[in-house]
Amino acid sequence: MDITSVTVGLPVTDIEASCLWYGAVFERSEPDLEPEDGVAEYEVGGIWIQLYEDDSAEENPVSVRFGVDDVGAQHARIGALGIDIGPVECVDGAVNWFDVRDPDGNVLSLFSLVDETGRGSGRDNGADRAL
């Protein structure tokens, strides 16, 4: 099997409000694609995040994890948007991370790998691994 791309579908109750929220978090003025009413897609980090309207979205939240170079800087930036975020957590010698929930309860987890000194290792080559 040759996989050519990956799309993660996230259920949302209000596509317009969710596009505003994700646009702010992803620093985008608009989605990359809107293939049909009630669907919006963002290409981030080599995958596609597909928001789709679902009246029961809050009952079935999803988690998506993104590797970033500087989790502390992203924590500060997203917090400055007025979005409620969790604290930066640390797993000694492995990863620093935090979670943020979208308006429907879906979880975005941002993380940075750390080197043996406990500092961010710079470019995150393991961004696709599960925590």
Side-chain angles (χ1 to χ4, degrees):
M1 168 174 43
D2 291 326
I3 297 173
T4 60
S5 68
V6 175
T7 300
V8 177
L10 298 178
V12 299
T13 55
D14 182 334
I15 195 71
E16 290 180 24
S18 292
C19 284
L20 290 173
W21 192 91
Y22 278 89
V25 170
F26 292 151
E27 299 180 289
R28 305 282 179 86
S29 59
E30 58 187 44
D32 294 304
L33 291 174
E34 294 181 79
E36 63 179 310
D37 286 344
V39 177
E41 299 183 13
Y42 296 87
E43 185 177 19
V44 291
I47 66 169
W48 288 86
I49 300 298
Q50 180 187 69
L51 308 178
Y52 63 93
E53 282 190 320
D54 179 352
D55 291 337
S56 61
E58 294 172 338
E59 298 169 20
N60 301 305
V62 175
S63 295
V64 181
R65 293 173 174 78
F66 297 95
V68 297
D69 287 336
D70 185 343
V71 77
Q74 292 304 316
H75 187 266
R77 183 186 67 80
I78 293 171
L81 295 171
I83 294 172
D84 187 28
I85 54 179
V88 174
E89 304 284 346
C90 301
V91 177
D92 288 338
V95 66
N96 296 333
W97 60 276
F98 71 94
D99 287 345
V100 57
R101 290 185 180 270
D102 78 3
D104 293 294
N106 295 306
V107 177
L108 300 185
S109 183
L110 280 71
F111 69 93
S112 293
L113 300 178
V114 297
D115 64 18
E116 57 278 349
T117 67
R119 289 180 288 200
S121 60
R123 194 82 183 127
D124 188 1
N125 294 324
D128 58 341
R129 73 180 177 112
L131 290 178

